[in-house]
Amino acid sequence: MCEENWQKVLSALELKVATTTFNPWMISLKCEENILEPPENGKFYTLKSDQAFGIQVLQKKHLKDIEDAIFEVSGQRFCVNLVFEAPDVKRSKKPVLKPAEQYVIMQEQIDNLKQMHSFCGLNLKYTFENFVCGENSKFAYTAARAVAEAPGQKYNPLFIYGDVGLGKTHLMQAIGHHILKNFPTQKVKYTKAEEFMNQLIDCLKMGGDTQQRMSKFRDKYRNVDVLLIDDIQIIEGKKRTEEEIFNTFDTLFHAGKQIVFASDRPISSLAKTPERLKSRFEWGLSVDILAPDFEVRVAILENHAKRNCFEVSREVSEFLAKTHCKNVRELEGAYNRVSVYASIANSELTVELAKKVLGYSALSKKITPNDIIEKCAKYFNTSTKDILGTVRSKEIAHARQCAIYLSREITELSFPTLAQEFGKNHTTIMYSWEKVKNMSQDMGAQGQKLKSELEELERLIKSES
């Protein structure tokens, strides 16, 4: 009888509140008392739920709705007390399996993982177990683990930022894998912002029933428990895509679903992103990943070698770590080149062989920002002091911005590192790089002139280095 009366209350609530609130939060409420009678304590009815975040939402916004619905059904006007009750998870003893049975189960697990990868967009190699954590990534790693352990309850959204090739994608996908393993009923979706944008464009430009296509598109990204969006900076300035991301965020967040973003720059540097979207990014936790130090690079390399079943000596690991320090992707790429060469040539992988394969003489003469600044000063008939100084005349500002742009393009150093080299702040460096990049893509006379200058400068820099 209690359950039947409570279902009437839920039916009344369903007419009062939005589906995005009712389905995830109100359906989970349980009432063990008979609402047709006064509460046992004479003061309030106790409602229980195993959804911690849902309790918070209902407590803040819908307590009166619940009390009114109870009054409609029972005629009893009493307060409501919402209580979180952790789900009772019972672990059964695992049976001892024969080797043949273990093999079958292992194959099934591998097939399941492949299916997960296909639907979720996850790469099987990006797990927490394969991530080498150092001081450069400790905070981001800890936050990612916390999110994976309690999706939707801690650090929502999680915003991970850092330069190219430092492990943002690895951590994002590790979150997805951990959730699928420990919460198998949850739906996880990983996508790159560019893929999201392209799919949106396809929905809008194709003929036929646009509304139906948009409905399917939205369902794909909103009917999930965990949404991971990589390279979110790609959509900056793309108003229609930003609007869709904003609405997708609100739908998921208010339903208590976990959202994770990754970007190559901090939130504060997303200058063209609307403030209301930036504010959503800032609701949770923002963490950065820096370039790994020497010891961490060695550990990353040895871990990568072990996974690829072609381990290298400590001397080779240290050589590669010393000569490839910009990012993890570059480091692993160098290992792949030397290990494949050694394997094909059936040779022992030594430091000397690695030097030969990678062209060490070229590596030892890497172009530096200082080289570029000197060439730009000479080309534009000014001085390095002016370029590194604060003079803002049109000619010197142009030379300075070209030097910044070329330093980024040729050396691939991070914006923070270039800020140190030029004695400027991070935002100024990024602004200069973006300005030159956009102007050089302009098909007008000014844009074509700038493009020719950059090409000539790059040729001079590389030919004389």
Side-chain angles (χ1 to χ4, degrees):
M1 189 66 178
C2 295
E3 179 62 27
E4 183 181 340
N5 293 330
W6 178 243
Q7 288 303 317
K8 292 179 182 178
V9 174
L10 290 177
S11 297
L13 281 168
E14 191 171 8
L15 300 175
K16 290 175 176 287
V17 300
T19 305
T20 53
T21 298
F22 181 81
N23 286 341
W25 308 134
M26 290 193 170
I27 286 180
S28 66
L29 291 174
K30 305 295 179 188
C31 182
E32 297 174 357
E33 300 179 67
N34 186 352
I35 59 167
L36 296 182
E37 299 175 0
E40 295 175 3
N41 58 25
K43 297 179 180 178
F44 53 78
Y45 294 109
T46 298
L47 306 181
K48 298 179 180 179
S49 171
D50 61 1
Q51 301 289 332
F53 184 80
I55 291 288
Q56 295 177 32
V57 173
L58 298 179
Q59 192 81 42
K60 288 180 180 178
K61 297 184 177 181
H62 299 286
L63 207 56
K64 189 175 184 305
D65 291 330
I66 297 172
E67 291 170 354
D68 289 347
I70 291 175
F71 178 72
E72 287 178 23
V73 174
S74 68
Q76 307 279 344
R77 174 65 75 177
F78 285 97
C79 295
V80 166
N81 182 36
L82 301 178
V83 176
F84 170 68
E85 184 177 60
D88 182 24
V89 181
K90 294 182 179 179
R91 298 187 181 275
S92 56
K93 253 191 170 182
K94 290 184 179 180
V96 178
L97 300 175
K98 296 176 182 178
E101 294 172 323
Q102 289 178 341
Y103 175 78
V104 170
I105 290 176
M106 185 176 71
Q107 287 300 118
E108 288 176 352
Q109 289 173 339
I110 291 172
D111 290 341
N112 288 340
L113 281 172
K114 288 178 179 177
Q115 289 173 9
M116 288 176 185
H117 167 68
S118 176
F119 173 79
C120 305
L122 299 175
N123 189 316
L124 294 174
K125 72 177 182 178
Y126 291 142
T127 65
F128 284 125
E129 291 73 22
N130 289 337
F131 187 86
V132 178
C133 181
E135 287 300 319
N136 63 306
S137 58
K138 189 175 181 180
F139 189 29
Y141 176 83
T142 303
R145 289 298 301 236
V147 164
E149 295 290 349
Q153 298 179 42
K154 274 190 174 183
Y155 313 139
N156 197 19
L158 178 63
F159 191 97
I160 306 172
Y161 68 93
D163 213 354
V164 176
L166 296 181
K168 301 184 298 296
T169 299
H170 191 144
L171 273 186
M172 274 191 110
Q173 296 207 20
I175 291 172
H177 281 301
H178 189 88
I179 290 172
L180 286 173
K181 181 180 178 182
N182 294 279
F183 306 94
T185 60
Q186 295 222 339
K187 292 174 70 176
V188 176
K189 181 64 181 173
Y190 167 86
T191 186
K192 288 187 175 292
E194 186 175 14
E195 181 184 359
F196 182 98
M197 180 175 67
N198 290 338
Q199 289 175 2
L200 174 61
I201 292 169
D202 288 342
C203 285
L204 295 173
K205 74 178 183 181
M206 290 170 64
D209 193 341
T210 302
Q211 189 173 353
Q212 184 180 11
R213 286 198 304 276
M214 284 302 300
S215 179
K216 287 182 179 180
F217 171 79
R218 286 169 179 154
D219 184 65
K220 179 180 180 179
Y221 290 105
R222 299 182 189 183
N223 187 27
V224 296
D225 298 293
V226 182
L227 180 61
L228 312 164
I229 302 184
D230 208 347
D231 293 326
I232 193 66
Q233 77 283 347
I234 292 291
I235 70 164
E236 193 176 17
K238 314 294 192 301
K239 292 183 179 179
R240 186 64 183 82
T241 307
E242 288 173 335
E243 181 71 20
E244 198 63 37
I245 290 286
F246 176 86
N247 292 325
T248 299
F249 178 100
D250 271 12
T251 300
L252 292 173
F253 182 85
H254 292 301
K257 308 304 183 182
Q258 180 67 52
I259 310 157
V260 182
F261 296 106
S263 168
D264 67 0
R265 67 197 74 162
I267 299 170
S268 59
S269 295
L270 298 174
K272 296 179 183 177
T273 301
E275 285 302 319
R276 65 174 189 159
L277 182 55
K278 285 171 69 173
S279 71
R280 296 300 193 276
F281 294 158
E282 292 168 341
W283 276 3
L285 179 67
S286 177
V287 294
D288 66 338
I289 301 181
L290 303 174
D293 59 26
F294 174 73
E295 288 77 12
V296 174
R297 293 199 300 274
V298 171
I300 289 171
L301 191 59
E302 292 182 345
N303 180 61
H304 181 68
K306 188 175 182 181
R307 283 190 283 115
N308 283 275
C309 302
F310 194 101
E311 297 188 38
V312 297
S313 67
R314 174 53 67 95
E315 290 76 17
V316 172
S317 295
E318 291 183 352
F319 165 73
L320 293 175
K322 284 176 183 175
T323 54
H324 296 79
C325 55
K326 283 187 290 186
N327 61 59
V328 176
R329 198 172 297 162
E330 179 191 73
L331 180 64
E332 292 181 346
Y335 160 82
N336 292 338
R337 286 174 62 191
V338 298
S339 61
V340 167
Y341 184 93
S343 178
I344 293 174
N346 197 24
S347 303
E348 181 186 356
L349 181 48
T350 62
V351 172
E352 288 69 29
L353 181 64
K355 286 181 179 180
K356 177 184 174 183
V357 174
L358 298 173
Y360 180 63
S361 58
L363 283 174
S364 63
K365 295 179 182 177
K366 279 191 174 180
I367 298 168
T368 67
N370 193 52
D371 296 329
I372 296 169
I373 292 167
E374 288 180 358
K375 294 294 186 297
C376 286
K378 185 177 179 180
Y379 184 86
F380 290 108
N381 196 28
T382 184
S383 67
T384 58
K385 184 179 178 181
D386 284 338
I387 288 179
L388 295 173
T390 56
V391 178
R392 295 186 179 181
S393 68
K394 186 177 179 180
E395 294 76 13
I396 293 175
H398 178 65
R400 184 183 298 131
Q401 288 169 351
C402 286
I404 289 171
Y405 174 81
L406 289 168
S407 293
R408 171 68 174 176
E409 294 300 302
I410 294 173
T411 69
E412 296 182 2
L413 292 173
S414 67
F415 289 118
T417 301
L418 289 176
Q420 293 176 355
E421 294 282 348
F422 281 83
K424 310 293 179 187
N425 62 49
H426 174 270
T427 308
T428 300
I429 296 296
M430 187 176 295
Y431 169 79
S432 298
W433 176 78
E434 287 183 344
K435 182 180 179 181
V436 174
K437 180 184 177 183
N438 292 335
M439 284 181 63
S440 64
Q441 292 174 349
D442 189 340
M443 296 307 293
Q446 191 175 1
Q448 292 305 297
K449 180 186 176 185
L450 174 59
K451 185 179 179 182
S452 297
E453 287 178 340
L454 294 173
E455 288 174 351
E456 177 65 12
L457 273 166
E458 186 169 354
R459 186 189 65 78
L460 290 171
I461 290 164
K462 289 184 176 180
S463 65
E464 296 178 26
S465 297

